[in-house]
């Protein structure tokens, strides 16, 4: 920030950031709304369809099961058709149809309801692969973490909308609420189509003219578009053997499905793939989304220990308490967005996972004592700490760890793994709560402790590093002390940026335009 201020960098939001935020907003809202919608309606659906613990887990986890398939479909589609077109088409094909299936089956068949949730999950899984890839490719190095982290903020916004929609007479409005993702899907399609395609994908597809058109929309006036295209072509020349032009969707789907596993087993970037796979398991087995989906049920179980019936107003009140948990999630993501590019990815993961374990311990203690306030405090602490760290940083690392050569296959594999772990977590959470009660929270807290240890030993810092530097470190294991350094720690041990090691650059009148000042800023920071 000091360097940017000294060289007179423009304060206005860049076009790259603007389109990145828009894409993240649309994809994240659809993700959060569709996944969290069933949580507030679960008590009503359990009564209407007479669901037991296992059946509740089946209905809740169906969306994650569909998302496993959607991750591979989305990766294949974005390889063949581009990021923007794939996001728009898959949103239009899955979200409306799945939401209508849910609405029509809500009082008739749990199988139909689960199938509709699975169809919606396919769209959610596809967007979970496409959106971080697009945002990571168009954002500049200085703001990449913040732009991608805004995807998680948008997920929170979707969850808030879903939660608010269940506050008022859920027993009367649940069909309408289950069908509401149709509206979200429509606006997603409209918004996606207003964004320019990723220039990197255009270059990989052999369409330099389209890449130039996209760069004109993304860059400041006066930028040398020809030079930028040449730079991208040089960066991607290692991947020419796996060019994306003239590849059918089905061939891309096969390549994506098998390519990620090949890369994880013996590929050039297997270290990056395996690190993210482990983070995906830790991310979901801590019950991060299960807490959101089952929060109404958890609080309802505590509040009904002294009563024999559950009223509609009671359900609505517990949904409002669940809304408080989502509000803390949103606050945590906002803090993460502020810190991810200043403090770095690694410190957020370390401290966030440690405090997540603490929050789950408090929640388990409160649940065991049937104390609603203590349980609520523990759940809010957990979700706040998790959202400050793993919730956002995971997607940032997914966008940074992989080269374009393997990005589609690797991102599909790790995202599918994330959703599969979430499917398992959602499926077993309700039965475990019935069988082990407060011990369920202790089980999830142990996963947070394990995640803290894993990050400490294996995850390097990627803050303000170029894609080339990040992938060199991960591919060759070329990790130095700086990659595991504390917050703001530089190589020589001083705090902050060591200005003495940066060659001075005199700002003249010729450097005074916003685009020129921005280039000077990037040149100094790169040095």
């Amino acid at each position: 920030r000091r360097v940017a201020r000294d060289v007179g960098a423009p304060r206005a939001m860049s076009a790259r950031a603007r389109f990145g935020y828009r894409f993240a907003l649309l994809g994240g809202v659809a993700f959060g709304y569709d996944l969290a919608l069933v949580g507030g309606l679960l008590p009503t659906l359990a009564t209407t369809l007479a669901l037991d613990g296992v059946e509740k887990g089946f209905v809740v986890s169906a969306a994650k099961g569909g998302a496993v398939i959607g991750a591979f479909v989305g990766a294949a589609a974005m390889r063949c058709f581009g990021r923007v077109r794939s996001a728009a088409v898959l949103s239009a094909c899955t979200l409306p149809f799945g939401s209508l299936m849910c609405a029509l089956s809500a009082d008739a068949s749990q199988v139909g309801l689960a199938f509709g949730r699975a169809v919606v999950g396919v769209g959610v899984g596809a967007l979970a692969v496409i959106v971080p890839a697009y945002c990571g490719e168009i954002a500049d190095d200085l703001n990449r973490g913040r732009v991608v982290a805004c995807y998680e903020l948008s997920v929170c916004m979707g969850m808030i909308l879903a939660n608010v929609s269940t506050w008022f007479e859920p027993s009367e409005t649940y069909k309408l609420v289950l069908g509401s993702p149709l509206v979200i899907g429509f606006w997603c399609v409209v918004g996606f189509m207003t964004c320019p395609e990723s220039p990197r994908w255009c270059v990989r597809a052999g369409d330099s003219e389209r890449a130039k058109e996209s760069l004109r929309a993304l860059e400041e006036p006066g930028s040398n578009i020809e030079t930028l295209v040449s730079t991208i072509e040089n960066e991607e020349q290692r991947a020419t053997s796996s060019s994306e032009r003239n590849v059918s969707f089905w061939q891309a789907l096969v390549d994506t499905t098998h390519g990620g596993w090949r890369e994880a087993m013996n590929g050039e970037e297997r270290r990056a793939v395996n690190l993210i796979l482990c983070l995906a398991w830790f991310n979901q087995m801590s019950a991060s989304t299960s807490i959101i989906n089952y929060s109404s049920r958890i609080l309802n179980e505590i509040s009904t220990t002294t009563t024999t019936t559950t009223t509609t107003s009671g359900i609505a009140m517990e949904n409002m308490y669940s809304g408080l948990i989502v509000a803390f999630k949103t606050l945590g993501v906002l803090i993460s967005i502020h810190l991810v590019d200043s403090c770095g990815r690694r410190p957020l993961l370390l401290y966030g996972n440690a405090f997540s374990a603490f929050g789950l311990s408090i929640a388990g203690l409160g649940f065991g004592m049937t104390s609603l306030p203590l349980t609520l405090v523990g759940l809010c602490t957990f979700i706040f700490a998790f959202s400050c760290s793993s919730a956002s940083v995971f997607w940032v690392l997914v966008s940074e760890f992989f080269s374009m050569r393997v990005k589609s296959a690797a991102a599909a594999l790790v995202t599918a793994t994330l959703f599969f772990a979430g499917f398992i977590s959602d499926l077993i959470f309700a039965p475990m709560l019935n069988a082990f009660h407060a011990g369920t929270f202790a089980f999830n807290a142990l996963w947070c402790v394990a995640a803290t240890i894993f990050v400490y030993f294996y995850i390097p810092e990627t803050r303000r590093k170029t894609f080339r530097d990040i992938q060199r470190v991960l591919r060759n294991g070329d990790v130095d002390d700086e990659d595991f350094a504390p917050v703001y720690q530089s190589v020589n041990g001083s705090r902050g940026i060591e200005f003495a090691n940066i060659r001075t650059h005199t700002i003249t009148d010729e450097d005074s335009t916003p685009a020129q000042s921005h280039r000077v800023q990037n040149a100094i920071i790169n040095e």
Side-chain angles (χ1 to χ4, degrees):
R1 285 196 297 271
R2 290 169 59 189
V3 173
R5 184 174 64 249
D6 291 342
V7 300
R11 294 180 179 271
M13 182 185 296
S14 67
R16 284 181 175 271
R18 186 168 63 251
F19 284 115
Y21 287 136
R22 181 187 304 176
F23 213 82
L25 172 67
L26 295 168
V29 167
F31 186 140
Y33 190 86
D34 293 332
L35 284 186
L37 191 63
V38 74
L41 300 176
L42 193 58
T44 299
L45 294 172
T47 302
T48 304
L49 297 173
L51 303 177
D52 59 23
V54 175
E55 291 167 341
K56 289 177 185 177
F58 178 63
V59 169
V60 171
S61 62
K64 291 286 184 70
V68 174
I69 300 173
F72 292 109
V73 172
M78 75 176 186
R79 177 184 173 186
C80 293
F81 311 118
R83 281 56 169 149
V84 172
R85 190 187 308 171
S86 299
V89 172
L90 289 172
S91 298
C93 293
T94 57
L95 301 185
F97 177 71
S99 61
L100 288 176
M101 279 288 298
C102 290
L104 295 175
S105 304
D107 59 353
S109 169
Q110 60 175 289
V111 175
L113 177 61
F115 180 75
R117 293 265 300 157
V119 172
V120 169
V122 171
V124 168
L127 292 177
V129 174
I130 298 170
V131 173
Y134 178 86
C135 294
E137 288 168 14
I138 70 166
D140 56 80
D141 295 338
L142 292 178
N143 297 302
R144 185 173 62 242
R146 189 173 289 111
V147 171
V148 177
C150 274
Y151 173 61
E152 187 66 23
L153 176 62
S154 303
V155 172
C156 294
M157 294 173 62
M159 288 181 172
I160 291 174
L161 288 175
N163 181 265
V164 171
S165 69
T166 64
W167 283 6
F168 309 103
E169 301 293 338
S171 62
E172 302 294 333
T173 61
Y174 66 97
K175 286 189 175 183
L176 182 63
V177 172
L178 286 171
S180 58
L182 190 151
V183 179
I184 302 292
F186 171 78
W187 286 110
C188 281
V189 173
V190 173
F192 286 144
M193 294 306 294
T194 63
C195 296
E197 185 54 80
S198 164
R200 288 183 178 272
W201 178 83
C202 294
V203 169
R204 292 272 295 161
D207 193 346
S208 297
E209 291 303 317
R210 192 178 179 188
K212 294 175 185 178
E213 181 181 340
S214 296
L215 286 169
R216 290 188 188 99
L218 294 171
E219 294 293 336
E220 298 292 337
S223 299
N224 191 327
I225 302 300
E226 296 290 343
T227 301
L228 292 172
V229 172
S230 298
T231 300
I232 295 174
E233 289 175 343
N234 291 335
E235 291 177 354
E236 301 303 330
Q237 64 183 353
R238 293 179 63 253
T240 52
S241 60
S242 56
S243 178
E244 300 188 6
R245 70 188 77 175
N246 300 324
V247 176
S248 68
F249 172 77
W250 296 111
Q251 182 60 46
L253 184 60
V254 172
D255 292 345
T256 298
T257 304
H258 293 91
W261 289 111
R262 286 197 303 268
E263 197 66 33
M265 294 299 104
N266 52 20
E268 197 174 69
E269 299 183 36
R270 60 183 178 276
R271 184 166 183 265
V273 176
N274 289 325
L275 289 177
I276 295 292
L277 286 176
C278 291
L279 286 179
W281 274 100
F282 290 129
N283 185 300
Q284 291 297 296
M285 293 308 293
S286 63
S288 54
T289 55
S290 298
I291 292 296
I292 298 292
N293 288 328
Y294 288 103
S295 57
S296 292
R297 190 260 172 147
I298 294 169
L299 301 175
N300 178 261
E301 183 169 328
I302 296 174
S303 63
T304 55
T305 53
T306 57
T307 60
T308 57
T309 60
T310 302
T311 62
T312 301
S313 60
I315 293 175
M317 183 58 68
E318 285 140 21
N319 289 347
M320 292 181 184
Y321 287 144
S322 300
L324 181 63
I325 297 173
V326 176
F328 271 88
K329 177 178 175 66
T330 306
L331 178 61
V333 172
L334 285 170
I335 293 175
S336 175
I337 291 172
H338 177 69
L339 297 178
V340 70
D341 282 320
S342 56
C343 290
R345 287 64 158 150
R346 180 177 158 83
L348 290 180
L349 288 174
L350 284 172
Y351 299 130
N353 280 303
F355 278 99
S356 294
F358 173 75
L360 284 172
S361 301
I362 297 297
L365 180 63
F367 192 78
M369 298 170 58
T370 63
S371 170
L372 182 62
L374 189 59
T375 304
L376 190 58
V377 168
L379 294 178
C380 289
T381 302
F382 161 70
I383 209 70
F384 173 76
F386 180 85
S387 300
C388 283
S389 54
S390 299
S392 300
V393 176
F394 175 81
W395 297 110
V396 175
L397 295 181
V398 168
S399 72
E400 293 177 330
F401 268 34
F402 310 125
S403 69
M404 287 292 290
R405 182 181 66 85
V406 301
K407 179 165 284 188
S408 293
L413 175 62
V414 299
T415 306
T417 302
L418 179 81
F419 285 123
F420 181 73
F423 171 79
I424 298 297
S425 178
D426 286 348
L427 189 63
I428 66 175
F429 191 86
M432 284 188 66
L433 204 60
N434 290 337
F436 303 109
H437 303 288
T440 305
F441 297 97
F443 170 78
N444 297 126
L446 289 175
W447 280 96
C448 294
V449 173
T452 305
I453 297 171
F454 177 81
V455 170
Y456 182 82
F457 285 105
Y458 293 107
I459 301 299
E461 182 57 73
T462 61
R463 177 177 70 105
R464 294 185 178 178
K465 287 182 170 65
T466 64
F467 282 130
R468 181 181 298 176
D469 289 338
I470 294 170
Q471 288 145 21
R472 173 186 54 79
V473 167
L474 293 168
R475 184 168 54 249
N476 302 328
D478 186 16
V479 182
D480 54 32
D481 292 338
E482 185 184 10
D483 293 310
F484 290 100
V487 185
Y488 297 118
Q489 189 76 22
S490 66
V491 177
N492 63 0
S494 64
R495 296 181 66 81
I497 299 175
E498 182 58 57
F499 284 92
N501 292 333
I502 299 178
R503 181 174 59 84
T504 57
H505 186 292
T506 303
I507 307 298
T508 66
D509 291 339
E510 296 178 351
D511 299 315
S512 59
T513 67
Q516 291 166 333
S517 297
H518 190 60
R519 287 197 295 274
V520 171
Q521 168 198 348
N522 287 336
I524 292 177
I525 291 178
N526 284 338
E527 288 190 15

